[in-house]
Amino acid sequence: AQSVTQPDIHITVSEGASLELRCNYSYGATPYLFWYVQSPGQGLQLLLKYFSGDTLVQGIKGFEAEFKRSQSSFNLRKPSVHWSDAAEYFCAVGARRDDKIIFGKGTRLHILP
Amino acid sequence: DAGITQSPRYKITETGRQVTLMCHQTWSHSYMFWYRQDLGHGLRLIYYSAAADITDKGEVPDGYVVSRSKTENFPLTLESATRSQTSVYFCASSVPSGGAAEQFFGPGTRLTVL
């Protein structure tokens, strides 16, 4: 069965600092991987996705993620965060021949001015 | 371009009452999903639908009923609401792609059961 673990419930970084949010997945074959962002009171918006090919994926809002099969990880990164990046971030995993995706429990990002 | 809408956005009800949450999408996406979001649990799938008149259970279906008579609508009914169903409910849709695909989310419905 697929599963997703986001080890950090809360992360606090200073504005302008770099960011890395961790995501580990469990899946037997090559997974489909997603990162979503949820601003307060909003629905979820896709930041980026990985299906195949280049393991470094670029997304919207300056985010990127790297798929590392050997570590079963898909960590999200941003070189310099802005106050508007404060939100909750969800990693999700899916599979070929299955239209459902499984979400992690989320990491809430706090930005210090 | 309305996208995916949910109504009501906020609902307060009492234990034992029937409540229906509405979800409407304008993209004609085949797949639609209902999730609940609770602190410490992230998003959990309640029900999903691959097309009109095709629905299936997700991870936490007990106490919920869905129907999908039209592609664009996917209502979620709590037949007899319980306090444990207090949550934020999200509807989502996606295009079939032979595997997991990007899901587009509605703004959510915050439901409180007293």
Side-chain angles (χ1 to χ4, degrees):
Chain A
Q2 305 159 51
S3 67
V4 182
T5 301
Q6 294 180 247
D8 303 305
I9 298 174
H10 294 273
I11 290 273
T12 301
V13 299
S14 297
E15 189 168 17
S18 64
L19 171 70
E20 183 169 30
L21 301 183
R22 297 183 291 163
C23 173
N24 294 98
Y25 67 89
S26 173
Y27 183 61
T30 300
Y32 290 6
L33 294 160
F34 307 81
W35 274 101
Y36 283 83
V37 61
Q38 183 183 29
S39 298
Q42 306 287 321
L44 279 71
Q45 179 186 22
L46 183 72
L47 284 175
L48 47 79
K49 60 189 177 188
Y50 171 79
F51 287 176
S52 64
D54 193 346
T55 57
L56 185 62
V57 181
Q58 301 298 320
I60 62 172
K61 306 185 181 189
F63 285 92
E64 66 177 27
E66 187 171 11
F67 170 56
K68 293 186 177 179
R69 184 191 303 275
S70 62
Q71 298 177 20
S72 298
S73 70
F74 189 56
N75 294 349
L76 182 72
R77 301 193 295 248
K78 187 170 185 178
S80 177
V81 297
H82 185 263
W83 63 267
S84 60
D85 293 324
E88 189 149 23
Y89 292 80
F90 292 93
C91 183
V93 64
R96 301 176 206 276
R97 300 189 185 90
D98 187 350
D99 293 281
K100 303 187 299 296
I101 60 177
I102 305 298
F103 286 86
K105 295 183 179 181
T107 297
R108 182 164 294 278
L109 175 64
H110 306 271
I111 307 293
L112 295 175
Chain B
D1 185 4
I4 185 163
T5 57
Q6 294 183 236
S7 61
R9 294 292 314 277
Y10 301 90
K11 176 73 176 179
I12 300 175
T13 191
E14 295 177 336
T15 301
R17 290 192 180 268
Q18 183 179 81
V19 177
T20 295
L21 310 183
M22 303 301 295
C23 178
H24 175 78
Q25 51 111 349
T26 60
W27 296 307
S28 298
H29 287 174
S30 296
Y31 277 85
M32 296 188 76
F33 307 83
W34 273 108
Y35 295 90
R36 60 178 291 172
Q37 183 178 26
D38 304 288
L39 207 59
H41 291 280
L43 274 79
R44 293 180 291 175
L45 183 65
I46 304 170
Y47 270 96
Y48 66 102
S49 168
D53 297 322
I54 301 174
T55 62
D56 209 345
K57 296 179 180 179
E59 180 186 353
V60 289
D62 293 343
Y64 303 95
V65 174
V66 293
S67 62
R68 193 158 176 218
S69 57
K70 293 184 177 182
T71 299
E72 61 266 30
N73 296 324
F74 191 38
L76 176 74
T77 298
L78 289 66
E79 292 189 302
S80 178
T82 65
R83 289 182 181 171
S84 64
Q85 292 177 309
T86 292
S87 186
V88 181
Y89 292 85
F90 288 99
C91 179
S93 68
S94 70
V95 176
S97 64
E102 175 183 0
Q103 293 183 13
F104 298 85
F105 283 79
T109 294
R110 182 174 293 275
L111 176 68
T112 301
V113 183
L114 301 176

